[in-house]
Amino acid sequence: MLKALTVPALALASALALGSTASAFAATAPTAPAPSASATATTPAAVVGMDLPSAVKPGDAIAFSVSAPAGSRFAISSAALDGVRITEGKGGWTANATVARVKDGSYGVSLTGTGPDGAKIQATAQLKVGAAAPKPTPAPSTVHLSKDFGRPGDKVLVTVRTSAKDAYVSSRAFTGGHVSLKGDGKGTFTGTATVANDVTTGYYGVDAFAGGTKFDTVKFSTEAAATPVKPHVDPDLKPLRPAEHRKPKGSVNTGQAPAATITTLTTAATAETGRG
């Protein structure tokens, strides 16, 4: 014979039944995943970067700007850089370094670190390292005169070849002393000099200048113009007019004795001979 359940017993039985059902639902309910300790946010690459020089050579001291959020902590490394120092200023980040003694080529530069919120930041760039090509040695300037001798008024063609941007020559042998030359854009300058009217016979130096600096002096000889000889004219003597011309009278004095004198001397000489 079954015993009737009392009220307390019913309440207990109901509580046990509800507890069993709650436990069953709790066991089958999905659970939310726990946060992963390794999951981190990444700062957008657009705000991180390096503005490197276009070309450097070993031993150069360089400085370049770095873009990164204020308060970030990061390092910059590269096989091509020694002693990288990073400073933060009001205008942003600046990195200073010395280019390492490496072979010519392109080298990677890496920036890694964390932003102010702990987010990972990174950036990469390329640095071109190459020894500076030696500057070509310019050819020496030269000057040439079309002739090395001249008389007053003679023309002389002057040619200067130089890598400078301007050229001229100067000499007391030429009219004006200074002779400007015109360039052809390929290193050749030409001009025409005129031998001065007041030069004396002798030698003159022609100084050649390129870029404002004298680079040579050449010798130029001159012959002064002959001075015409003017006949001396007595201002008191006036030329005769044709009507005043007179024909001289008598024989012209030839420096000999008159004919009668010559005959007398000859006769006397003959008589003297006969007596002998």
Side-chain angles (χ1 to χ4, degrees):
M1 179 176 179
L2 295 175
K3 293 183 178 180
L5 293 175
T6 60
V7 174
L10 288 172
L12 179 59
S14 298
L16 289 173
L18 290 172
S20 176
T21 304
S23 298
F25 276 105
T28 59
T31 57
S36 172
S38 62
T40 58
T42 301
T43 301
V47 299
V48 182
M50 296 171 287
D51 186 13
L52 298 175
S54 57
V56 296
K57 62 181 183 294
D60 283 354
I62 63 173
F64 54 94
S65 60
V66 180
S67 300
S72 297
R73 295 291 178 267
F74 56 87
I76 296 175
S77 60
S78 173
L81 298 178
D82 288 333
V84 181
R85 301 179 305 280
I86 304 169
T87 56
E88 183 179 12
K90 294 181 178 180
W93 297 85
T94 301
N96 294 83
T98 301
V99 181
R101 300 292 178 179
V102 294
K103 295 181 179 180
D104 294 358
S106 184
Y107 293 83
V109 180
S110 176
L111 179 155
T112 56
T114 56
D117 56 355
K120 180 180 179 181
I121 59 174
Q122 61 180 10
T124 58
Q126 294 292 315
L127 179 66
K128 184 178 180 181
V129 179
K135 295 182 178 180
T137 302
S141 301
T142 61
V143 58
H144 174 75
L145 305 180
S146 59
K147 54 184 179 180
D148 57 7
F149 169 82
R151 295 183 176 88
D154 285 355
K155 303 296 183 182
V156 181
L157 178 63
V158 182
T159 303
V160 169
R161 290 184 173 85
T162 179
S163 59
K165 295 181 179 180
D166 57 81
Y168 67 91
V169 297
S170 177
S171 175
R172 292 189 299 110
F174 301 144
T175 301
H178 178 97
V179 182
S180 299
L181 306 177
K182 184 178 180 180
D184 63 355
K186 299 179 181 179
T188 300
F189 296 80
T190 57
T192 301
T194 303
V195 179
N197 291 327
D198 59 351
V199 295
T200 58
T201 300
Y203 295 97
Y204 291 82
V206 179
D207 297 327
F209 295 79
T213 302
K214 184 172 75 172
F215 66 87
D216 198 2
T217 299
V218 295
K219 187 168 63 176
F220 185 79
S221 61
T222 61
E223 182 179 283
T227 303
V229 178
K230 296 182 179 180
H232 176 73
V233 178
D234 189 336
D236 295 331
L237 296 177
K238 297 181 180 180
L240 296 174
R241 292 177 295 180
E244 296 175 336
H245 289 181
R246 296 290 184 269
K247 184 177 181 179
K249 296 181 179 181
S251 62
V252 177
N253 185 9
T254 62
Q256 296 180 345
T261 303
I262 295 174
T263 301
T264 301
L265 291 175
T266 302
T267 302
T270 303
E272 188 67 25
T273 303
R275 283 198 300 271

